[in-house]
Amino acid sequence: MSKSKEFWIKNMVCNRCLKVINQELQELGVTVLSLELGRLLVEAPKKTKNEIIDAVTTVLHANDFEIVHSEEEMLVERMKIILIEQLQELPLHIKVKTSELLASALHRDYKTLSKLFSSKEKTTVEKYFIKLKIEKAKELIQLKQHTFSDIGYLLDYSSVNHLSRQFKEVVGMSMTDYKNTGNWKRNFYDEII
């Protein structure tokens, strides 16, 4: 009987990803025991360990995911997932600093996490989180259901001016210009760095 095998997955940042991976692995005879953003636990009693690894690798690569091979890469992916999850429920009201949130969730010193993130991703945790928030702002602008002030509130900005400055810095145009272009370019969360 085969034992379960755990995989950490890079770039898995949405719930639709989970459904696709689960379905495709089932089709290959691999039972998904647990699947959450960034982590997969499987078994396949009729397959060898290498056959399981090959099946998982095939499915992941076909869907533009990668297996994380080191603890450092795993920590970076977990940091990204924690930050992305913060944006799932609006309004965003961060009760603790991002540094405290990550340190607490990962049971590590924030300075260590921050250095690791910066060395692997070539940007800071703070800049990464700002880019995530700006992508969410783009989505909210496109939905045309909120004013800029509402969007600032939903994303926990101290003022609409603060949001406007960051938006222009990241996107290269004002929120008004973005809204009026109609040529809305957005990035998937897993493409943000």
Side-chain angles (χ1 to χ4, degrees):
M1 180 170 264
S2 80
K3 293 185 176 182
S4 59
K5 175 84 175 120
E6 181 180 54
F7 297 90
W8 287 93
I9 305 164
K10 187 173 187 172
N11 301 329
M12 183 179 277
V13 294
C14 70
N15 289 326
R16 285 180 301 282
C17 304
L18 303 178
K19 186 177 180 181
V20 169
I21 298 303
N22 189 20
Q23 181 180 344
E24 291 185 16
L25 286 173
Q26 296 289 351
E27 290 170 4
L28 293 177
V30 177
T31 303
V32 176
L33 300 175
S34 172
L35 180 58
E36 57 194 61
L37 294 180
R39 184 178 165 273
L40 170 67
L41 184 65
V42 299
E43 73 176 3
K46 297 179 181 176
K47 293 185 181 290
T48 66
K49 180 180 173 184
N50 286 340
E51 289 172 331
I52 293 172
I53 292 170
D54 288 345
V56 169
T57 301
T58 298
V59 168
L60 294 177
H61 285 184
N63 289 285
D64 295 325
F65 300 120
E66 297 175 40
I67 295 174
V68 173
H69 295 287
S70 73
E71 182 179 0
E72 288 180 340
E73 287 178 313
M74 178 196 69
L75 281 171
V76 169
E77 286 306 307
R78 289 180 63 197
M79 283 189 271
K80 288 180 184 177
I81 289 166
I82 290 166
L83 295 174
I84 289 167
E85 286 175 341
Q86 293 300 302
L87 296 172
Q88 298 303 313
E89 195 171 315
L90 296 179
L92 175 67
H93 290 296
I94 301 175
K95 294 169 181 55
V96 296
K97 293 179 180 178
T98 306
S99 57
E100 292 172 18
L101 173 73
L102 292 172
S104 172
L106 299 172
H107 308 290
R108 300 270 197 312
D109 174 62
Y110 180 72
K111 282 185 179 180
T112 304
L113 292 172
S114 177
K115 285 180 184 176
L116 175 63
F117 191 93
S118 295
S119 72
K120 294 288 184 188
E121 300 298 334
K122 308 299 183 228
T123 190
T124 66
V125 172
E126 180 183 85
K127 287 180 181 176
Y128 175 73
F129 194 48
I130 289 168
K131 287 179 181 179
L132 288 176
K133 288 171 67 174
I134 296 304
E135 284 305 313
K136 191 66 168 181
K138 288 169 151 182
E139 175 186 336
L140 294 170
I141 289 169
Q142 286 176 258
L143 292 174
K144 298 181 181 181
Q145 296 175 339
H146 304 284
T147 66
F148 294 155
S149 293
D150 290 344
I151 293 170
Y153 167 77
L154 290 170
L155 295 175
D156 202 30
Y157 278 91
S158 57
S159 70
V160 71
N161 291 335
H162 185 204
L163 168 60
S164 295
R165 280 191 307 275
Q166 284 190 348
F167 191 96
K168 187 163 188 166
E169 189 176 301
V170 172
V171 179
M173 68 174 72
S174 71
M175 291 192 298
T176 302
D177 289 345
Y178 182 81
K179 180 179 181 178
N180 293 333
T181 64
N183 183 14
W184 293 325
K185 182 178 183 314
R186 289 185 33 214
N187 299 306
F188 294 106
Y189 287 144
D190 63 340
E191 296 173 346
I192 296 173
I193 280 299

